Amino acid sequence: ARPAQVLPKQAAGIMYIRSLALAPWLLVLTSLHRAAAVPKKKKDNDVQVLMPHHSFAAPLEYQTLLDDWAVSGASLFERERLLLHPGVPGRAAFLFSKSPLLTDNFEVVVHFRVLGDKQPQKVLHDQSFGFWYVQENISQAHNETAMIKAETWTKGMEAQGFTLGGSKAQFTGVGVVLSMADRDKKPRPSVSGFTNDGHTTLAWGLDVPTQDAKPIDFRNTLNPAQLKIRVRSNLVEGWLKQSPSLSWQECFSLDRSKLPVKAGGYIGITAWSGTPEEGASADLVSVVQLDVTNMDETSIGEDMRDVSKQIQETYMEMLTDKTRHFLDQKSQTDHLARLVDMLGEHLNSTKPADERVFESIKDMEERMEKLGEDCRTMKQSVAILMNPEGTTMAAKKRSSMSSIEAMRNDIVGLRRLLIKDSATHKMKLEAVVKNVAEVKERASRGGTPEALNQISDQTDSLAKTVVSRGRQMSWMMVCLLAAIFGIGALMWNRMLYYEKKHFI
């Protein structure tokens, strides 16, 4: 009976996983249906497909994110946010995608927070952070080892050309920089949008912030502020709002008709917390969410790592203009047949993973059942211990109460014992601390110049006393010897006197 109860749950889990895997292909069917219908004028928001390998949102899993992003400097993926840099001057932030965007028609929304001093005059004027879309793979060009071995991190960045808000000053693409001061170095937060052709080295203070930078206060907002960047091949636009409930404020519009934006670029976010200055502080900058949306229905937007390369190439071919419009039903049937074959191949390739998930779910259910049995056994054991069999309900109640009372008394006794011992230990520790303090004080006093001079004076005085005592002992010895010789002479004379008197 047990497998009959387990299989429906497991089958539901497998179907849910497969439905997630088939979501991109359902998008293809939707686009085919739209293409076969009567053509109508499209709006800008008709096609919006979030690109998961270029986006992130809380809760963050750094194990997965580090496969898609290169992180360096003071940046750190936390559970609820991407910390670009703390409120410490002289810190650089670096975050760049490892894989390119395969479209030139996309939209980026950055949810960020900038927290710092309430007075803009006390904030470092050269700190900034920015969003970049460049043709070069910056994640490979960024040599973190060389920066670590450099004399300072700043010099290591300068040696590699990362001198523009933590990113490269010479690049091909688009940059959006949010600075804490305007071009005249006045404390006024501003948003600058600009492009580069790859031959010009932009400089902070000269080229960025730009002359037409949009002044807008994005610091110390109650909710995360949002920066929206709309990229097309011939136009790049930017908006910002300080809160989700407020309206968008246009910041810049860049004409790219002469130098169109190309697909295959890399996106990134960098920051610089400012050069340390006395009396000025840095802001804490973090990103809580990044949404990168593909707006082009003829491109897949990013590499599909969950499927084989053959399926990805087939998918890309099906999205091209020549296969999105059909002349008759036969061409539609052929196209749908190819789609069915592609989906069948995808299901076959994911079958081992589905089986592993199935086994994991089965093992987890067995473990949960074993845990339930252990809990029931423990509950029964406690019931038997507290309420012995063969007694009335009143006796059981009294036995239970007496057991609880005995347990409470034991706990109280242990508490008293611990309190008594802790008081004794506290007294001993205080005595030890006092003795250590006295020894330390004596040692500190003994090492002072005054104490050494006093010891030297005492040594000289002792030496003089020893010399004086030595002289006194010498004179006393001489006097003692003289007295001995005098007494001996007197005794000798007295003996001679007695001899003459009695024997002569």
Side-chain angles (χ1 to χ4, degrees), residues 183-458:
R183 190 180 182 88
D184 299 328
K185 297 183 180 180
K186 295 181 181 180
R188 185 168 58 175
S190 305
V191 180
S192 303
F194 51 91
T195 62
N196 197 356
D197 57 0
H199 302 288
T200 305
T201 301
L202 303 180
W204 181 263
L206 298 177
D207 304 301
V208 182
T210 59
Q211 192 69 36
D212 57 349
K214 173 71 173 180
I216 180 171
D217 191 5
F218 49 78
R219 300 180 64 251
N220 298 318
T221 56
L222 181 62
N223 298 311
Q226 297 182 19
L227 172 67
K228 181 168 70 172
I229 305 169
R230 182 67 172 92
V231 179
R232 300 180 182 86
S233 61
N234 59 347
L235 182 65
V236 179
E237 298 174 291
W239 300 267
L240 189 142
K241 60 181 178 180
Q242 293 104 329
S243 179
S245 59
L246 300 179
S247 59
W248 291 103
Q249 301 185 42
E250 186 176 0
C251 298
F252 60 86
S253 180
L254 306 175
D255 184 14
R256 295 281 295 186
S257 56
K258 295 183 179 179
L259 189 62
V261 177
K262 298 180 181 179
Y266 298 80
I267 63 173
I269 300 175
T270 62
W272 170 247
S273 63
T275 305
E277 293 181 6
E278 186 176 357
S281 61
D283 291 333
L284 183 148
V285 182
S286 62
V287 177
V288 298
Q289 185 173 338
L290 176 64
D291 299 325
V292 182
T293 307
N294 181 18
M295 312 294 286
D296 185 6
E297 64 177 3
T298 64
S299 173
I300 61 175
E302 63 180 5
D303 289 333
M304 302 169 61
R305 304 178 184 177
D306 301 330
V307 300
S308 63
K309 186 176 181 181
Q310 181 181 359
I311 295 178
Q312 182 174 340
E313 292 176 352
T314 305
Y315 187 25
M316 294 175 62
E317 183 181 355
M318 294 174 64
L319 291 178
T320 57
D321 291 333
K322 64 180 182 179
T323 57
R324 290 192 304 124
H325 303 282
F326 308 102
L327 299 176
D328 50 22
Q329 293 183 355
K330 183 178 182 304
S331 58
Q332 296 181 14
T333 303
D334 295 340
H335 193 78
L336 291 175
R338 292 178 56 194
L339 179 61
V340 171
D341 294 339
M342 183 175 62
L343 292 176
E345 182 181 351
H346 175 69
L347 292 176
N348 292 332
S349 63
T350 58
K351 185 176 180 180
D354 292 344
E355 293 178 351
R356 288 194 297 269
V357 172
F358 182 89
E359 294 296 332
S360 300
I361 294 175
K362 183 178 178 182
D363 181 66
M364 182 64 68
E365 187 168 356
E366 292 178 353
R367 293 170 61 185
M368 293 300 296
E369 288 183 356
K370 183 178 180 182
L371 178 61
E373 292 176 359
D374 294 341
C375 291
R376 288 191 294 269
T377 303
M378 181 64 68
K379 179 181 178 181
Q380 188 67 23
S381 300
V382 172
I384 294 173
L385 179 64
M386 304 299 291
N387 299 317
E389 295 182 357
T391 58
T392 62
M393 293 300 297
K396 290 182 179 180
K397 186 175 181 179
R398 288 194 300 270
S399 176
S400 176
M401 295 300 296
S402 61
S403 300
I404 295 174
E405 185 67 20
M407 187 181 300
R408 189 177 69 85
N409 293 333
D410 293 340
I411 293 174
V412 172
L414 289 174
R415 181 174 177 272
R416 291 176 180 174
L417 181 62
L418 292 175
I419 291 175
K420 181 180 177 181
D421 292 342
S422 64
T424 305
H425 294 162
K426 185 177 180 181
M427 294 176 61
K428 291 182 179 180
L429 289 175
E430 290 178 353
V432 171
V433 170
K434 184 177 179 180
N435 294 334
V436 171
E438 292 178 356
V439 172
K440 185 178 180 180
E441 183 179 0
R442 292 177 181 177
S444 61
R445 289 179 180 178
T448 59
E450 294 79 4
L452 295 177
N453 293 333
Q454 186 178 1
I455 293 173
S456 178
D457 296 339
Q458 292 178 356

